[in-house]
mmCIF file with all atom_site columns, all heavy atoms in Angstrom:
data_model
loop_
_atom_site.group_PDB
_atom_site.id
_atom_site.type_symbol
_atom_site.label_atom_id
_atom_site.label_alt_id
_atom_site.label_comp_id
_atom_site.label_asym_id
_atom_site.label_entity_id
_atom_site.label_seq_id
_atom_site.pdbx_PDB_ins_code
_atom_site.Cartn_x
_atom_site.Cartn_y
_atom_site.Cartn_z
_atom_site.occupancy
_atom_site.B_iso_or_equiv
_atom_site.pdbx_formal_charge
_atom_site.auth_seq_id
_atom_site.auth_comp_id
_atom_site.auth_asym_id
_atom_site.auth_atom_id
_atom_site.pdbx_PDB_model_num
ATOM 1   N N   . LYS A 1 156 ? 29.240 54.334 61.940 1.00 97.00 ? 156 LYS A N   1
ATOM 2   C CA  . LYS A 1 156 ? 30.298 53.760 61.160 1.00 97.00 ? 156 LYS A CA  1
ATOM 3   C C   . LYS A 1 156 ? 30.968 54.720 60.187 1.00 97.00 ? 156 LYS A C   1
ATOM 4   O O   . LYS A 1 156 ? 31.241 54.371 59.062 1.00 97.00 ? 156 LYS A O   1
ATOM 5   C CB  . LYS A 1 156 ? 29.756 52.514 60.405 1.00 97.00 ? 156 LYS A CB  1
ATOM 6   C CG  . LYS A 1 156 ? 29.251 51.419 61.324 1.00 97.00 ? 156 LYS A CG  1
ATOM 7   C CD  . LYS A 1 156 ? 28.705 50.212 60.490 1.00 97.00 ? 156 LYS A CD  1
ATOM 8   C CE  . LYS A 1 156 ? 28.175 49.127 61.460 1.00 97.00 ? 156 LYS A CE  1
ATOM 9   N NZ  . LYS A 1 156 ? 27.693 47.943 60.668 1.00 97.00 ? 156 LYS A NZ  1
ATOM 10  N N   . MET A 1 157 ? 31.118 55.944 60.721 1.00 97.00 ? 157 MET A N   1
ATOM 11  C CA  . MET A 1 157 ? 31.657 57.048 59.874 1.00 97.00 ? 157 MET A CA  1
ATOM 12  C C   . MET A 1 157 ? 32.846 57.639 60.711 1.00 97.00 ? 157 MET A C   1
ATOM 13  O O   . MET A 1 157 ? 32.623 58.230 61.699 1.00 97.00 ? 157 MET A O   1
ATOM 14  C CB  . MET A 1 157 ? 30.610 58.147 59.589 1.00 97.00 ? 157 MET A CB  1
ATOM 15  C CG  . MET A 1 157 ? 31.079 59.221 58.678 1.00 97.00 ? 157 MET A CG  1
ATOM 16  S SD  . MET A 1 157 ? 31.508 58.728 57.036 1.00 97.00 ? 157 MET A SD  1
ATOM 17  C CE  . MET A 1 157 ? 29.906 58.189 56.354 1.00 97.00 ? 157 MET A CE  1
ATOM 18  N N   . VAL A 1 158 ? 34.102 57.385 60.297 1.00 95.00 ? 158 VAL A N   1
ATOM 19  C CA  . VAL A 1 158 ? 35.253 57.776 61.019 1.00 95.00 ? 158 VAL A CA  1
ATOM 20  C C   . VAL A 1 158 ? 35.840 59.054 60.597 1.00 95.00 ? 158 VAL A C   1
ATOM 21  O O   . VAL A 1 158 ? 36.240 59.286 59.472 1.00 95.00 ? 158 VAL A O   1
ATOM 22  C CB  . VAL A 1 158 ? 36.317 56.663 60.925 1.00 95.00 ? 158 VAL A CB  1
ATOM 23  C CG1 . VAL A 1 158 ? 37.509 56.985 61.782 1.00 95.00 ? 158 VAL A CG1 1
ATOM 24  C CG2 . VAL A 1 158 ? 35.776 55.275 61.274 1.00 95.00 ? 158 VAL A CG2 1
ATOM 25  N N   . ALA A 1 159 ? 35.849 60.070 61.464 1.00 94.00 ? 159 ALA A N   1
ATOM 26  C CA  . ALA A 1 159 ? 36.480 61.328 61.171 1.00 94.00 ? 159 ALA A CA  1
ATOM 27  C C   . ALA A 1 159 ? 37.963 61.201 60.960 1.00 94.00 ? 159 ALA A C   1
ATOM 28  O O   . ALA A 1 159 ? 38.605 60.596 61.804 1.00 94.00 ? 159 ALA A O   1
ATOM 29  C CB  . ALA A 1 159 ? 36.163 62.373 62.300 1.00 94.00 ? 159 ALA A CB  1
ATOM 30  N N   . LYS A 1 160 ? 38.459 61.716 59.863 1.00 94.00 ? 160 LYS A N   1
ATOM 31  C CA  . LYS A 1 160 ? 39.908 61.523 59.447 1.00 94.00 ? 160 LYS A CA  1
ATOM 32  C C   . LYS A 1 160 ? 40.662 62.814 59.560 1.00 94.00 ? 160 LYS A C   1
ATOM 33  O O   . LYS A 1 160 ? 41.813 62.893 59.837 1.00 94.00 ? 160 LYS A O   1
ATOM 34  C CB  . LYS A 1 160 ? 40.034 60.926 58.128 1.00 94.00 ? 160 LYS A CB  1
ATOM 35  C CG  . LYS A 1 160 ? 39.547 59.466 57.997 1.00 94.00 ? 160 LYS A CG  1
ATOM 36  C CD  . LYS A 1 160 ? 40.454 58.566 58.730 1.00 94.00 ? 160 LYS A CD  1
ATOM 37  C CE  . LYS A 1 160 ? 40.078 57.067 58.561 1.00 94.00 ? 160 LYS A CE  1
ATOM 38  N NZ  . LYS A 1 160 ? 41.030 56.176 59.325 1.00 94.00 ? 160 LYS A NZ  1
ATOM 39  N N   . GLN A 1 161 ? 40.002 63.965 59.172 1.00 94.00 ? 161 GLN A N   1
ATOM 40  C CA  . GLN A 1 161 ? 40.770 65.208 59.063 1.00 94.00 ? 161 GLN A CA  1
ATOM 41  C C   . GLN A 1 161 ? 39.770 66.371 59.313 1.00 94.00 ? 161 GLN A C   1
ATOM 42  O O   . GLN A 1 161 ? 38.629 66.413 58.701 1.00 94.00 ? 161 GLN A O   1
ATOM 43  C CB  . GLN A 1 161 ? 41.433 65.297 57.678 1.00 94.00 ? 161 GLN A CB  1
ATOM 44  C CG  . GLN A 1 161 ? 42.227 66.593 57.525 1.00 94.00 ? 161 GLN A CG  1
ATOM 45  C CD  . GLN A 1 161 ? 42.970 66.593 56.215 1.00 94.00 ? 161 GLN A CD  1
ATOM 46  O OE1 . GLN A 1 161 ? 43.219 65.586 55.647 1.00 94.00 ? 161 GLN A OE1 1
ATOM 47  N NE2 . GLN A 1 161 ? 43.302 67.790 55.741 1.00 94.00 ? 161 GLN A NE2 1
ATOM 48  N N   . LEU A 1 162 ? 40.192 67.365 60.065 1.00 93.00 ? 162 LEU A N   1
ATOM 49  C CA  . LEU A 1 162 ? 39.451 68.583 60.197 1.00 93.00 ? 162 LEU A CA  1
ATOM 50  C C   . LEU A 1 162 ? 39.953 69.601 59.113 1.00 93.00 ? 162 LEU A C   1
ATOM 51  O O   . LEU A 1 162 ? 41.102 69.637 58.791 1.00 93.00 ? 162 LEU A O   1
ATOM 52  C CB  . LEU A 1 162 ? 39.686 69.197 61.567 1.00 93.00 ? 162 LEU A CB  1
ATOM 53  C CG  . LEU A 1 162 ? 39.195 68.339 62.735 1.00 93.00 ? 162 LEU A CG  1
ATOM 54  C CD1 . LEU A 1 162 ? 39.521 68.998 64.069 1.00 93.00 ? 162 LEU A CD1 1
ATOM 55  C CD2 . LEU A 1 162 ? 37.664 68.115 62.671 1.00 93.00 ? 162 LEU A CD2 1
ATOM 56  N N   . VAL A 1 163 ? 39.046 70.431 58.611 1.00 95.00 ? 163 VAL A N   1
ATOM 57  C CA  . VAL A 1 163 ? 39.365 71.406 57.583 1.00 95.00 ? 163 VAL A CA  1
ATOM 58  C C   . VAL A 1 163 ? 39.260 72.766 58.221 1.00 95.00 ? 163 VAL A C   1
ATOM 59  O O   . VAL A 1 163 ? 38.258 73.121 58.836 1.00 95.00 ? 163 VAL A O   1
ATOM 60  C CB  . VAL A 1 163 ? 38.398 71.290 56.389 1.00 95.00 ? 163 VAL A CB  1
ATOM 61  C CG1 . VAL A 1 163 ? 38.759 72.384 55.356 1.00 95.00 ? 163 VAL A CG1 1
ATOM 62  C CG2 . VAL A 1 163 ? 38.431 69.918 55.806 1.00 95.00 ? 163 VAL A CG2 1
ATOM 63  N N   . ARG A 1 164 ? 40.366 73.565 58.146 1.00 94.00 ? 164 ARG A N   1
ATOM 64  C CA  . ARG A 1 164 ? 40.427 74.882 58.688 1.00 94.00 ? 164 ARG A CA  1
ATOM 65  C C   . ARG A 1 164 ? 40.555 75.975 57.655 1.00 94.00 ? 164 ARG A C   1
ATOM 66  O O   . ARG A 1 164 ? 41.218 75.771 56.590 1.00 94.00 ? 164 ARG A O   1
ATOM 67  C CB  . ARG A 1 164 ? 41.613 74.991 59.688 1.00 94.00 ? 164 ARG A CB  1
ATOM 68  C CG  . ARG A 1 164 ? 41.525 74.026 60.842 1.00 94.00 ? 164 ARG A CG  1
ATOM 69  C CD  . ARG A 1 164 ? 42.703 74.116 61.782 1.00 94.00 ? 164 ARG A CD  1
ATOM 70  N NE  . ARG A 1 164 ? 42.738 75.420 62.450 1.00 94.00 ? 164 ARG A NE  1
ATOM 71  C CZ  . ARG A 1 164 ? 43.696 75.832 63.244 1.00 94.00 ? 164 ARG A CZ  1
ATOM 72  N NH1 . ARG A 1 164 ? 44.837 75.079 63.397 1.00 94.00 ? 164 ARG A NH1 1
ATOM 73  N NH2 . ARG A 1 164 ? 43.650 76.955 63.864 1.00 94.00 ? 164 ARG A NH2 1
ATOM 74  N N   . GLU A 1 165 ? 40.025 77.148 57.929 1.00 90.00 ? 165 GLU A N   1
ATOM 75  C CA  . GLU A 1 165 ? 40.110 78.277 56.955 1.00 90.00 ? 165 GLU A CA  1
ATOM 76  C C   . GLU A 1 165 ? 41.428 78.905 57.082 1.00 90.00 ? 165 GLU A C   1
ATOM 77  O O   . GLU A 1 165 ? 42.282 78.585 57.946 1.00 90.00 ? 165 GLU A O   1
ATOM 78  C CB  . GLU A 1 165 ? 38.994 79.328 57.396 1.00 90.00 ? 165 GLU A CB  1
ATOM 79  C CG  . GLU A 1 165 ? 37.600 78.882 57.162 1.00 90.00 ? 165 GLU A CG  1
ATOM 80  C CD  . GLU A 1 165 ? 36.605 79.916 57.684 1.00 90.00 ? 165 GLU A CD  1
ATOM 81  O OE1 . GLU A 1 165 ? 36.978 80.768 58.468 1.00 90.00 ? 165 GLU A OE1 1
ATOM 82  O OE2 . GLU A 1 165 ? 35.453 79.879 57.159 1.00 90.00 ? 165 GLU A OE2 1
ATOM 83  N N   . ASN A 1 166 ? 41.668 79.825 56.125 1.00 90.00 ? 166 ASN A N   1
ATOM 84  C CA  . ASN A 1 166 ? 42.902 80.655 56.115 1.00 90.00 ? 166 ASN A CA  1
ATOM 85  C C   . ASN A 1 166 ? 44.157 79.851 56.261 1.00 90.00 ? 166 ASN A C   1
ATOM 86  O O   . ASN A 1 166 ? 44.992 79.987 57.145 1.00 90.00 ? 166 ASN A O   1
ATOM 87  C CB  . ASN A 1 166 ? 42.832 81.707 57.281 1.00 90.00 ? 166 ASN A CB  1
ATOM 88  C CG  . ASN A 1 166 ? 41.658 82.647 57.111 1.00 90.00 ? 166 ASN A CG  1
ATOM 89  O OD1 . ASN A 1 166 ? 41.204 82.942 56.051 1.00 90.00 ? 166 ASN A OD1 1
ATOM 90  N ND2 . ASN A 1 166 ? 41.125 83.035 58.298 1.00 90.00 ? 166 ASN A ND2 1
ATOM 91  N N   . ASN A 1 167 ? 44.351 78.971 55.271 1.00 89.00 ? 167 ASN A N   1
ATOM 92  C CA  . ASN A 1 167 ? 45.572 78.190 55.192 1.00 89.00 ? 167 ASN A CA  1
ATOM 93  C C   . ASN A 1 167 ? 45.886 77.450 56.542 1.00 89.00 ? 167 ASN A C   1
ATOM 94  O O   . ASN A 1 167 ? 46.980 77.442 56.992 1.00 89.00 ? 167 ASN A O   1
ATOM 95  C CB  . ASN A 1 167 ? 46.758 79.115 54.840 1.00 89.00 ? 167 ASN A CB  1
ATOM 96  C CG  . ASN A 1 167 ? 47.966 78.337 54.359 1.00 89.00 ? 167 ASN A CG  1
ATOM 97  O OD1 . ASN A 1 167 ? 47.817 77.196 53.859 1.00 89.00 ? 167 ASN A OD1 1
ATOM 98  N ND2 . ASN A 1 167 ? 49.141 78.900 54.553 1.00 89.00 ? 167 ASN A ND2 1
ATOM 99  N N   . ASN A 1 168 ? 44.820 76.786 56.996 1.00 87.00 ? 168 ASN A N   1
ATOM 100 C CA  . ASN A 1 168 ? 44.912 75.959 58.191 1.00 87.00 ? 168 ASN A CA  1
ATOM 101 C C   . ASN A 1 168 ? 45.298 76.674 59.441 1.00 87.00 ? 168 ASN A C   1
ATOM 102 O O   . ASN A 1 168 ? 45.949 76.148 60.399 1.00 87.00 ? 168 ASN A O   1
ATOM 103 C CB  . ASN A 1 168 ? 45.968 74.833 57.942 1.00 87.00 ? 168 ASN A CB  1
ATOM 104 C CG  . ASN A 1 168 ? 45.713 73.606 58.772 1.00 87.00 ? 168 ASN A CG  1
ATOM 105 O OD1 . ASN A 1 168 ? 44.591 73.300 59.024 1.00 87.00 ? 168 ASN A OD1 1
ATOM 106 N ND2 . ASN A 1 168 ? 46.741 72.980 59.235 1.00 87.00 ? 168 ASN A ND2 1
ATOM 107 N N   . THR A 1 169 ? 44.896 77.962 59.530 1.00 90.00 ? 169 THR A N   1
ATOM 108 C CA  . THR A 1 169 ? 45.115 78.739 60.699 1.00 90.00 ? 169 THR A CA  1
ATOM 109 C C   . THR A 1 169 ? 43.834 79.314 61.382 1.00 90.00 ? 169 THR A C   1
ATOM 110 O O   . THR A 1 169 ? 43.900 79.786 62.528 1.00 90.00 ? 169 THR A O   1
ATOM 111 C CB  . THR A 1 169 ? 46.054 79.956 60.397 1.00 90.00 ? 169 THR A CB  1
ATOM 112 O OG1 . THR A 1 169 ? 45.430 80.863 59.438 1.00 90.00 ? 169 THR A OG1 1
ATOM 113 C CG2 . THR A 1 169 ? 47.383 79.496 59.841 1.00 90.00 ? 169 THR A CG2 1
ATOM 114 N N   . GLY A 1 170 ? 42.683 79.261 60.619 1.00 92.00 ? 170 GLY A N   1
ATOM 115 C CA  . GLY A 1 170 ? 41.469 79.780 61.083 1.00 92.00 ? 170 GLY A CA  1
ATOM 116 C C   . GLY A 1 170 ? 40.616 78.810 61.762 1.00 92.00 ? 170 GLY A C   1
ATOM 117 O O   . GLY A 1 170 ? 41.054 77.780 62.319 1.00 92.00 ? 170 GLY A O   1
ATOM 118 N N   . ARG A 1 171 ? 39.335 79.085 61.785 1.00 93.00 ? 171 ARG A N   1
ATOM 119 C CA  . ARG A 1 171 ? 38.324 78.202 62.375 1.00 93.00 ? 171 ARG A CA  1
ATOM 120 C C   . ARG A 1 171 ? 38.160 76.926 61.631 1.00 93.00 ? 171 ARG A C   1
ATOM 121 O O   . ARG A 1 171 ? 38.307 76.895 60.415 1.00 93.00 ? 171 ARG A O   1
ATOM 122 C CB  . ARG A 1 171 ? 37.024 78.961 62.702 1.00 93.00 ? 171 ARG A CB  1
ATOM 123 C CG  . ARG A 1 171 ? 36.244 79.338 61.447 1.00 93.00 ? 171 ARG A CG  1
ATOM 124 C CD  . ARG A 1 171 ? 35.123 80.240 61.764 1.00 93.00 ? 171 ARG A CD  1
ATOM 125 N NE  . ARG A 1 171 ? 34.086 79.531 62.449 1.00 93.00 ? 171 ARG A NE  1
ATOM 126 C CZ  . ARG A 1 171 ? 33.056 78.966 61.869 1.00 93.00 ? 171 ARG A CZ  1
ATOM 127 N NH1 . ARG A 1 171 ? 32.986 78.909 60.514 1.00 93.00 ? 171 ARG A NH1 1
ATOM 128 N NH2 . ARG A 1 171 ? 32.150 78.331 62.608 1.00 93.00 ? 171 ARG A NH2 1
ATOM 129 N N   . VAL A 1 172 ? 37.705 75.868 62.333 1.00 95.00 ? 172 VAL A N   1
ATOM 130 C CA  . VAL A 1 172 ? 37.388 74.637 61.669 1.00 95.00 ? 172 VAL A CA  1
ATOM 131 C C   . VAL A 1 172 ? 35.986 74.764 61.059 1.00 95.00 ? 172 VAL A C   1
ATOM 132 O O   . VAL A 1 172 ? 35.016 75.133 61.679 1.00 95.00 ? 172 VAL A O   1
ATOM 133 C CB  . VAL A 1 172 ? 37.392 73.467 62.680 1.00 95.00 ? 172 VAL A CB  1
ATOM 134 C CG1 . VAL A 1 172 ? 36.974 72.136 62.045 1.00 95.00 ? 172 VAL A CG1 1
ATOM 135 C CG2 . VAL A 1 172 ? 38.808 73.231 63.203 1.00 95.00 ? 172 VAL A CG2 1
#
Side-chain angles (χ1 to χ4, degrees):
K156 298 182 181 180
M157 184 66 66
V158 184
K160 293 291 186 178
Q161 182 177 336
L162 298 176
V163 180
R164 300 179 67 185
E165 295 177 337
N166 300 327
N167 196 28
N168 206 35
T169 60
R171 66 189 291 270
V172 174

